[in-house]
Amino acid sequence: MPLHRFYYAKGIFSAQDKQEISERITKIYTSGGLPAFYVIVVFNEVPSDSIMIGGKPATNFVRVVSQHLARTMDTYERKQTVLNALEAAFGPYVKDRGLDWEIHIEEHSRDTWRLNGLNPPLPNTDAEKLWAKENRPSPFEQSKI
Amino acid sequence: MPLHRFYYAKGIFSAQDKQEISERITKIYTSGGLPAFYVIVVFNEVPSDSIMIGGKPATNFVRVVSQHLARTMDTYERKQTVLNALEAAFGPYVKDRGLDWEIHIEEHSRDTWRLNGLNPPLPNTDAEKLWAKENRPSPFEQSKI
Amino acid sequence: MPLHRFYYAKGIFSAQDKQEISERITKIYTSGGLPAFYVIVVFNEVPSDSIMIGGKPATNFVRVVSQHLARTMDTYERKQTVLNALEAAFGPYVKDRGLDWEIHIEEHSRDTWRLNGLNPPLPNTDAEKLWAKENRPSPFEQSKI
């Protein structure tokens, strides 16, 4: 469900960095009870002439676009907590290396979301707990959301 | 209008697959009266270390982000019908090959949407029918949407 | 804040084109008082078999996805003005070369948006003016948005 797309000039992250960033982001969600396989991270590397900030090559910059589907952040405080968690997850690879960054999170409807053809279970249901435990989607009694 | 972005590790789809997937997706929309040229499919292939699921390389996985502009899906049932159609369109290249997949559809405002500088005609208008027939945008009497 | 992603078949834009397009887009926003560094442009070039329009390779086509966060366009007229400005910015590289194009703008919540760990200042505040003048984010007295 959360889909995190990182945009940056090629060379900023190593394979090891990408592995660790995605592991650290995954932990945010699994610690909240979500299945690990919900967490997708895509690293969209582009040539250094293909990402620009303020009309200049963004050689020192990472832009993150995060999309949420499984949970809604109901309050301003909750939103800040999630932003804090995400920034802490990639901080060692971005802030601590002196890179600039920008992030925004979008929330989209779960009515038009599917995994392996299944409408994912509602939050904190037995079915969601099973998905989390088994770390894979499986059919369950669907009720209309 | 519908923009479908596929994210996956390089090598999963051949050029032929991409051609056929986009043809099959296009048919969903043209059968509903939309112009074929509304249907954009972008295959965002990334190196296998650059797409992660649950903190692990997603070597067997396709993530689809679909965006709709020309039509609104008014009911839950309608949304499921469209998801069914999309999953059937790419199913032979994904499900039938044992790949995992995830999809979500977003709906965005047509007020901030243009093709070749033109605000597209409203659903089922004569202008839309002409665009569909000619498979290209052409100027028409615009009324404020 | 505005994030503009351009999707097209590799070879359509030169490095010089990309530079100039991003400069011209940046000017739209700085002329409205926004900091230049808010304006991100990402050129997502894909192989020519990886972007399809109506089921056919889109060799002559540019798809722009724009996302706004710092300002809301309140009226239909305002939206058209912004579309006009964007299309004028990339027009010499797209329309004037005989390419087809499509654009849509999305507006997303500023509650889940951060730059270098900071929630950006509200429109037309002293803090925003300072960010624009210095062309970099800096801490300021944050009030809950």
Side-chain angles (χ1 to χ4, degrees):
Chain A
M1 101 57 192
L3 170 63
H4 304 278
R5 281 173 276 190
F6 283 68
Y7 297 91
Y8 56 91
K10 205 170 288 187
I12 282 186
F13 294 135
S14 70
Q16 178 73 6
D17 293 339
K18 291 184 251 187
Q19 175 73 45
E20 292 175 12
I21 290 169
S22 66
E23 283 170 6
R24 292 166 62 97
I25 289 177
T26 299
K27 275 183 198 152
I28 298 171
Y29 298 92
T30 53
S31 75
L34 288 174
F37 72 89
Y38 276 18
V39 186
I40 312 301
V41 184
V42 178
F43 296 92
N44 287 87
E45 302 173 343
V46 296
S48 60
D49 68 359
S50 294
I51 178 166
M52 302 282 182
I53 176 166
K56 294 184 170 48
T59 51
N60 199 44
F61 177 73
V62 177
R63 181 63 166 90
V64 185
V65 177
S66 298
Q67 298 189 306
H68 278 192
L69 294 149
R71 293 287 188 277
T72 305
M73 298 174 289
D74 287 327
T75 63
Y76 182 79
E77 286 68 28
R78 178 69 194 146
K79 291 169 187 174
Q80 304 315 307
T81 302
V82 175
L83 283 167
N84 290 343
L86 286 167
E87 292 188 318
F90 61 72
Y93 312 87
V94 178
K95 182 183 183 182
D96 297 357
R97 293 181 184 173
L99 301 176
D100 294 312
W101 75 96
E102 183 178 1
I103 182 171
H104 81 270
I105 308 174
E106 303 166 15
E107 294 186 322
H108 293 288
S109 168
R110 55 180 300 138
D111 281 5
T112 43
W113 169 41
R114 284 197 190 157
L115 282 143
N116 281 9
L118 300 167
N119 299 81
L122 289 171
N124 307 312
T125 53
D126 286 346
E128 190 185 68
K129 285 170 192 160
L130 186 67
W131 283 32
K133 188 181 162 201
E134 298 188 341
N135 198 25
R136 63 176 186 84
S138 54
F140 63 99
E141 189 99 4
Q142 301 245 10
S143 56
K144 182 173 153 177
I145 295 162
Chain B
M1 90 68 184
L3 170 64
H4 303 278
R5 281 173 276 189
F6 283 68
Y7 296 91
Y8 56 91
K10 205 169 289 187
I12 283 186
F13 294 135
S14 69
Q16 178 74 8
D17 293 340
K18 291 184 251 187
Q19 175 74 46
E20 292 175 13
I21 289 169
S22 67
E23 284 170 5
R24 293 166 62 97
I25 288 177
T26 299
K27 276 183 198 152
I28 297 171
Y29 297 92
T30 53
S31 74
L34 288 174
F37 72 89
Y38 276 18
V39 187
I40 312 300
V41 185
V42 178
F43 296 92
N44 288 86
E45 302 173 341
V46 297
S48 59
D49 68 359
S50 293
I51 178 165
M52 302 283 181
I53 177 166
K56 295 182 170 50
T59 51
N60 199 45
F61 176 73
V62 178
R63 183 62 167 89
V64 185
V65 177
S66 297
Q67 297 189 307
H68 277 192
L69 294 149
R71 294 286 188 277
T72 305
M73 298 173 289
D74 287 327
T75 64
Y76 183 79
E77 285 68 28
R78 178 70 193 145
K79 291 169 186 174
Q80 304 315 306
T81 301
V82 174
L83 283 167
N84 289 343
L86 285 167
E87 292 188 318
F90 60 71
Y93 312 86
V94 177
K95 182 183 183 183
D96 296 357
R97 293 182 184 173
L99 301 175
D100 294 313
W101 75 97
E102 182 178 0
I103 182 172
H104 80 270
I105 308 174
E106 302 166 16
E107 293 186 322
H108 293 289
S109 168
R110 56 180 298 138
D111 281 5
T112 43
W113 170 42
R114 283 197 190 158
L115 283 143
N116 281 9
L118 300 167
N119 298 82
L122 288 170
N124 307 314
T125 53
D126 286 346
E128 190 186 69
K129 285 170 193 160
L130 186 68
W131 284 32
K133 189 182 162 201
E134 297 188 340
N135 198 26
R136 64 177 186 84
S138 53
F140 63 100
E141 189 100 5
Q142 301 245 11
S143 57
K144 182 175 152 176
I145 295 162
Chain C
M1 81 85 181
L3 171 64
H4 303 278
R5 281 173 275 188
F6 284 67
Y7 297 91
Y8 56 90
K10 204 169 291 187
I12 283 186
F13 294 135
S14 70
Q16 178 74 7
D17 293 338
K18 292 183 252 187
Q19 176 74 45
E20 292 175 13
I21 290 169
S22 67
E23 284 171 5
R24 292 166 63 97
I25 289 177
T26 298
K27 275 182 198 152
I28 298 171
Y29 297 92
T30 54
S31 75
L34 288 174
F37 71 88
Y38 275 19
V39 186
I40 312 301
V41 184
V42 179
F43 296 92
N44 287 87
E45 302 173 341
V46 297
S48 60
D49 68 358
S50 294
I51 178 165
M52 302 283 181
I53 177 166
K56 295 182 169 49
T59 51
N60 199 44
F61 176 74
V62 178
R63 182 63 167 91
V64 185
V65 177
S66 297
Q67 297 191 306
H68 278 190
L69 293 149
R71 293 287 188 276
T72 305
M73 299 173 288
D74 287 327
T75 63
Y76 183 78
E77 285 68 28
R78 177 72 193 144
K79 291 170 187 173
Q80 303 315 306
T81 302
V82 175
L83 283 167
N84 290 344
L86 286 167
E87 292 188 318
F90 60 72
Y93 312 86
V94 178
K95 183 184 183 181
D96 296 356
R97 293 182 183 173
L99 301 176
D100 294 311
W101 76 96
E102 183 178 0
I103 182 171
H104 80 270
I105 308 174
E106 303 166 15
E107 294 186 321
H108 293 287
S109 167
R110 56 181 298 138
D111 282 4
T112 43
W113 170 41
R114 284 197 190 157
L115 283 142
N116 280 8
L118 300 167
N119 299 81
L122 288 172
N124 307 312
T125 53
D126 286 347
E128 191 187 66
K129 284 169 193 161
L130 186 66
W131 283 32
K133 188 182 163 200
E134 299 187 341
N135 198 26
R136 64 176 185 85
S138 54
F140 63 99
E141 189 99 5
Q142 301 247 9
S143 57
K144 182 174 153 177
I145 295 161

